[in-house]
Amino acid sequence: MDGRVLQERTLLLTHLRTYLEAPEHAHFLDDQLEGHQPGARQAAVLLVLFEHEGELSLLFIRRASTLRAHSGEIAFPGGSAESQDASPVETALREAWEEIGLAPERVEILGAMPPVFTVVSNFLIVPVVGYLHQGPGELRLQESEVAELIVAPLRALADPAIQRVEYWTRGEKTRAVYFFDYGTYCIWGATGRILAALLSILDTHDAGSSF
C-alpha cells in the first residue's frame, strides 16, 4: 500500500472509530427505528473490513442450504449470544471463530453500530465493526453452517446501480427493506439494513471515494 493510500485508509479508520459507538455501550443501544425491545433474543454479527486486491473490502458468508432458518442467504459472521459471552463483541468474535475460523487476535474492534431488530425472528442484532490489519489469515468454514465466503469491495457495494429499497407492510407498520444485487448474490433483510447503515457512515467521510 503506497503512502497516499495508507494515509487515506488511516483517516477512514479514524472516522469509523469516531462515528461508531464505543463497544462497551453496545448493551445499552436500541434499534433506532423499532425502539426498545426488552423481550428480544440477543445476537451480534462481525463486519470484517480488510484490504483485498488493493481495495477496502467486506466479508460476508452464504449460509448453508441445510439450515432451517435463513438457509442460503447472505449474512455477516455472527449469531446468538451465549451465557458465557460478556458482551456483543465477545459474541461476534466467538461466532466468527466458530463459523469461519477468524482468529480474534487478528481483529481490531473499531466500534459498534445501533442494533437491528428482526421482527419475524425476534432477534436484536448488534453489528460490531472490526478491521484486519494483517488480513484474515487462513480461514476454515464450519460447513454445517457456512457454504461460502464472499469478499466484496466497499466501492462496488456503494454503487447506487446495485441498490434498491422496497417498502413492506407487516401489521400496521411499513418498513424499508434494503437490497444489494452484488453479482449473483442478493444481500437483503437485516444484513441489507446493516450494510446500508455502514455505507451511510462511510459516506460522511471526506475521503469516502478512497474505498
Side-chain angles (χ1 to χ4, degrees), residues 176-187:
V177 182
Y178 297 87
F179 293 83
F180 296 79
D181 296 311
Y182 175 67
T184 60
Y185 306 104
C186 181
I187 303 167

Side-chain angles (χ1 to χ4, degrees), residues 154-163 180 199:
L154 283 178
R155 186 190 303 275
L157 295 170
D159 183 357
I162 74 165
Q163 303 174 22
F180 296 79
L199 292 175

Side-chain angles (χ1 to χ4, degrees), residues 72-133:
E73 292 186 4
I74 310 304
F76 296 110
S80 301
E82 296 186 357
S83 57
Q84 71 268 25
D85 297 336
S87 68
V89 170
E90 286 196 14
T91 299
L93 290 174
R94 175 184 54 75
E95 286 283 340
W97 168 250
E98 292 175 0
E99 290 185 342
I100 64 172
L102 177 61
E105 61 268 20
R106 300 185 78 93
V107 185
E108 180 199 348
I109 299 299
L110 302 178
M113 295 166 58
V116 169
F117 177 64
T118 59
V119 178
V120 175
S121 56
N122 192 40
F123 272 106
L124 190 66
I125 305 170
V126 176
V128 178
V129 182
Y131 183 71
L132 312 180
H133 291 270

Side-chain angles (χ1 to χ4, degrees), residues 1-10:
M1 190 185 302
D2 65 35
R4 180 186 62 81
V5 174
L6 179 60
Q7 182 181 25
E8 289 176 347
R9 193 65 73 242
T10 300

Side-chain angles (χ1 to χ4, degrees), residues 42-95:
Q42 302 300 306
V45 295
L46 186 63
L47 280 61
V48 182
L49 293 167
F50 65 103
E51 301 293 330
H52 179 71
E53 298 181 350
E55 295 207 64
L56 185 60
S57 299
L58 194 56
L59 185 66
F60 298 87
I61 62 172
R62 180 169 62 84
R63 291 169 56 84
S65 59
T66 53
L67 293 172
R68 288 182 298 176
H70 304 291
S71 62
E73 292 186 4
I74 310 304
F76 296 110
S80 301
E82 296 186 357
S83 57
Q84 71 268 25
D85 297 336
S87 68
V89 170
E90 286 196 14
T91 299
L93 290 174
R94 175 184 54 75
E95 286 283 340

